[in-house]
Amino acid sequence: MLFNIPVIYEKTTSCAFLLSSTGFLASRVPRDLDAIVIGSGVGGLGIAVLLAKVGKKVLVLEQHDRAGGCCHTFSEKGFEFDVGIHYIGDLVENKPQRLGANPFDHVVLGPPENRRVYPIYSCKNRYAQELKKCFPGEEKAIDDFIRLTKVRGVWLMPVLKIILSPIAKFLVYSGLISRLSYFFCYGSRSLAEVVNSLTQNEDLRAVFCYIFGTYGNIPKEASFSMHSLLLCHYMPGAWYPKGGASEIAFHMIPIIEKAGGAVLVRAPVNQSVLTLQWCVFAGVSVMKGHEEVHVHAPIVISDAGVFNTYQQLLPKEVQQLSFVKHGEGGLSVFLGLDGTKEELGLEAKNYWVFPENNLDAMEGYRKEEREEAVKSVPLIFIALPSAKDPTWEQRKPGRVWIPGHSFAPYSWFEEWKDDKVKNRGADYKELKETLLNSLLEMVYQVFPKIKDRIKYMDAGTPVTNQHYIAAPKGEIYGADQGTARFSAEFCVSIRPQTPIKNLYLTGQDLFSCGYAGALAGAMVCGSVILKRNLYVDVLALCMKLKYGSKKAQ
């Protein structure tokens, strides 16, 4: 199940200011804490809000200079840029801001001289009808694909992480879970394997698979179950938060503070505070200048990702992560333009651009020599937040911005990981400019009107992600989301509890990637800590609201 976000309201003050203004000081740490959360991404803020709602005093520590993780924004040259959250699905009940009319995505295949554009519509029936118009003669393949992507049994994924470990392991290793869950049956099958069995049409295969960029695994490595989860997530439609992605964190932090907690930035956690020969977690150490400040609490929850948690906070004796892989390194392009969305031909939609219909071409790109590979990137996702956000024109009149996202191996940039973030030398700058130009050409092909209107441009690489969001290998989706990740065996191996008592995991590495996956991780973690099934509570609340709404009518 995927979870709704609250309705996003109008800003009353500077969101970016509030998210970055409370730096760490020992004097700002609340007394008698109930829990410490490491990391202020959606998974970290989510669990902090859940605990605050039952009266717990929670301290959230963020290493960056602003809270929100991939929900934060930054400003350059008068432009405001989101770093993540380009669209959210499954928000039918609480309608904050939809991406305008259908279609919400466009799949762009082929070179400019042989370009094919396929619109992607929400609503299962409309989705099927429009695909059948584009691919006459492929009706059976389309119907079979939609039937197979219907997610059944995914509810067992959180159940395996919430119930007692011996029971969960019995269900998995006895084989019962595979009989009970269609989701786990297809979890270990690749997307390419399933799709290739349905059709020989290369363009249709690409259209079935296009959204793999939202979790970072090419079709031959991607889990069909994970892909199905994403398709079902967007089938009811796609939404964008009014006021931008930072509004999400902006409305979560006051809930934490109201319960007596705090969210403090510029608070890098250096190590854990352990007692009884590393058997029990008792708090964390935060670096303040050259000094360590010890902060104690009976519970510590990590939203820093499974690699940072195990490899930086835990003793070597328990750093067992051989079965987990890093996700793909992320690339980002940020363009600031002079003009309005109408002048530049920008609509509230997303574009997935592929120079060819073999989406597994990313594999060859990753293996190619760096200097050659960066000249022809095989994928770019183009979002248009300033066209989606109805408050944008009021906040930034006469300006728009366009983000682009793709992938690149961390190894291409690793030699510059220890350099200063904005002073990594001429070679790094040259490589980044080559990448930027390659990606810009793909953007220009879709939006030719913007070419002479760009006032600001920059690119982020995997080492940029490493610096700003503490991604160990520059990955934007955390641990790898491939077929192994969605096996029942893996699911039961990564649970909220860690080998150290009182240390818990939350966020996307606990459940699945992205905004909804991170929130699901917070729900699972909260269920274990509070010893109650929060999914049942949410279901009961939804029923209550639905009944109340009908009664009011």
Side-chain angles (χ1 to χ4, degrees):
M1 184 179 290
L2 301 172
F3 302 95
N4 296 350
I5 58 170
V7 176
I8 307 300
Y9 300 94
E10 295 284 357
K11 293 183 181 181
T12 56
T13 185
S14 170
C15 181
F17 174 77
L18 286 179
L19 295 183
S20 62
S21 61
T22 312
F24 179 85
L25 291 173
S27 60
R28 290 175 175 164
V29 175
R31 294 185 178 182
D32 303 319
L33 289 169
D34 293 301
I36 296 169
V37 176
I38 305 169
S40 68
V42 168
L45 291 178
I47 183 62
V49 165
L50 289 170
L51 294 177
K53 282 290 190 179
V54 294
K56 303 294 184 183
K57 191 183 294 185
V58 183
L59 172 64
V60 181
L61 299 172
E62 170 57 48
Q63 59 93 28
H64 188 29
D65 64 6
R66 64 196 62 201
C70 286
C71 284
H72 82 263
T73 60
F74 68 96
S75 297
E76 290 285 352
K77 308 296 183 182
F79 293 94
E80 179 185 286
F81 300 100
D82 288 346
V83 298
I85 312 296
H86 301 298
Y87 56 152
I88 301 168
D90 209 20
L91 295 178
V92 174
E93 295 296 329
N94 301 329
K95 301 175 182 176
Q97 183 58 41
R98 199 166 185 170
L99 295 190
N102 264 324
F104 63 92
D105 274 348
H106 284 81
V107 182
V108 183
L109 299 178
E113 64 274 13
N114 184 28
R115 174 140 294 160
R116 290 92 66 200
V117 180
Y118 300 105
I120 305 299
Y121 289 77
S122 60
C123 178
K124 183 172 67 173
N125 291 337
R126 182 76 185 278
Y127 173 81
Q129 289 169 5
E130 297 297 333
L131 280 187
K132 289 173 183 178
K133 289 179 185 177
C134 295
F135 298 98
E138 294 287 347
E139 291 81 4
K140 184 179 185 303
I142 293 166
D143 287 339
D144 287 346
F145 179 72
I146 293 172
R147 175 179 55 79
L148 290 172
T149 55
K150 184 178 180 181
V151 178
R152 296 188 293 272
V154 68
W155 60 272
L156 282 168
M157 190 174 175
V159 166
L160 285 180
K161 295 177 181 293
I162 293 171
I163 62 176
L164 294 174
S165 181
I167 298 174
K169 288 181 177 178
F170 171 76
L171 288 172
V172 171
Y173 295 110
S174 67
L176 284 174
I177 202 72
S178 295
R179 293 176 178 271
L180 294 170
S181 173
Y182 172 90
F183 182 83
F184 286 119
C185 286
Y186 275 83
S188 57
R189 292 188 64 182
S190 78
L191 173 61
E193 176 192 354
V194 176
V195 166
N196 291 353
S197 70
L198 300 176
T199 179
Q200 297 298 312
N201 188 303
E202 294 290 347
D203 273 19
L204 182 56
R205 286 177 174 180
V207 171
F208 283 161
C209 298
Y210 84 94
I211 207 169
F212 78 86
T214 56
Y215 52 85
N217 291 85
I218 59 176
K220 68 184 296 184
E221 299 170 355
S223 164
F224 184 76
S225 288
M226 176 63 196
H227 194 78
S228 301
L229 203 60
L230 261 295
L231 286 176
C232 291
H233 181 60
Y234 290 114
M235 200 59 77
W239 286 260
Y240 183 76
K242 186 177 180 181
S246 59
E247 284 288 315
I248 295 170
F250 178 72
H251 286 93
M252 296 174 89
I253 291 173
I255 300 170
I256 299 164
E257 294 174 336
K258 186 177 179 180
V263 178
L264 302 180
V265 299
R266 297 184 290 280
V269 172
N270 183 45
Q271 61 182 12
S272 56
V273 178
L274 300 168
T275 62
L276 300 178
Q277 297 180 346
W278 62 263
C279 290
V280 180
F281 234 73
V284 298
S285 292
V286 178
M287 290 302 297
K288 183 62 179 174
H290 298 291
E291 297 182 5
E292 283 188 349
V293 179
H294 296 304
V295 185
H296 295 270
I299 290 174
V300 177
I301 304 163
S302 178
D303 187 39
V306 67
F307 287 101
N308 284 333
T309 303
Y310 275 69
Q311 294 175 350
Q312 295 186 24
L313 297 180
L314 299 185
K316 292 183 179 179
E317 292 87 344
V318 291
Q319 294 180 5
Q320 302 298 322
L321 287 176
S322 58
F323 60 96
V324 186
K325 297 194 304 181
H326 289 277
E328 193 69 77
L331 288 176
S332 300
V333 175
F334 302 98
L335 305 177
L337 300 100
D338 180 23
T340 66
K341 61 184 181 182
E342 291 82 9
E343 292 170 350
L344 301 173
L346 308 180
E347 298 182 89
K349 305 182 192 306
N350 304 307
Y351 292 81
W352 293 87
V353 185
F354 303 92
E356 59 178 287
N357 57 16
N358 175 18
L359 305 194
D360 283 321
M362 182 73 72
E363 184 178 32
Y365 158 78
R366 293 182 308 199
K367 294 177 180 178
E368 199 173 351
E369 288 295 322
R370 179 181 70 187
E371 282 67 23
E372 289 302 313
V374 296
K375 295 177 184 178
S376 54
V377 181
L379 153 70
I380 186 170
F381 166 68
I382 306 169
L384 303 170
S386 44
K388 302 170 188 174
D389 182 3
T391 73
W392 178 266
E393 185 61 30
Q394 180 183 355
R395 294 187 292 116
K396 301 287 181 180
R399 293 186 169 195
V400 299
W401 79 282
I402 298 176
H405 298 280
S406 191
F407 301 95
Y410 173 75
S411 59
W412 288 359
F413 305 90
E414 189 171 9
E415 62 189 272
W416 296 289
K417 66 183 177 66
D418 296 321
D419 294 348
K420 290 185 177 179
V421 68
K422 293 189 177 180
N423 188 24
R424 290 195 165 109
D427 289 344
Y428 176 80
K429 186 177 180 181
E430 182 181 350
L431 180 64
K432 196 165 83 165
E433 285 181 355
T434 303
L435 262 172
L436 183 57
N437 290 333
S438 174
L439 293 169
L440 273 176
E441 282 303 314
M442 297 172 75
V443 177
Y444 292 153
Q445 290 166 14
V446 181
F447 302 107
K449 293 181 181 180
I450 74 169
K451 195 164 188 177
D452 299 321
R453 308 295 291 272
I454 296 176
K455 300 299 179 183
Y456 172 85
M457 69 174 75
D458 200 1
T461 71
V463 290
T464 312
N465 301 331
Q466 188 178 48
H467 174 81
Y468 287 109
I469 61 173
K473 300 291 184 182
E475 57 270 55
I476 52 177
Y477 297 129
D480 183 71
Q481 304 284 317
T483 52
R485 173 74 178 267
F486 294 94
S487 68
E489 292 77 11
F490 188 102
C491 182
V492 81
S493 299
I494 299 291
R495 292 161 56 88
Q497 303 93 329
T498 71
I500 303 299
K501 187 178 179 181
N502 299 336
L503 172 65
Y504 297 86
L505 297 176
T506 185
Q508 63 179 0
D509 281 357
L510 177 58
F511 198 87
S512 65
C513 69
Y515 174 84
L519 273 186
M523 288 284 288
V524 169
C525 180
S527 296
V528 169
I529 291 173
L530 297 174
K531 295 180 172 60
R532 59 185 296 168
N533 192 325
L534 297 181
Y535 286 81
V536 174
D537 291 343
V538 168
L539 182 61
L541 179 61
C542 288
M543 295 296 292
K544 182 179 179 181
L545 291 172
K546 187 175 181 179
Y547 176 76
S549 176
K550 286 184 177 180
K551 192 174 181 180
Q553 292 173 2

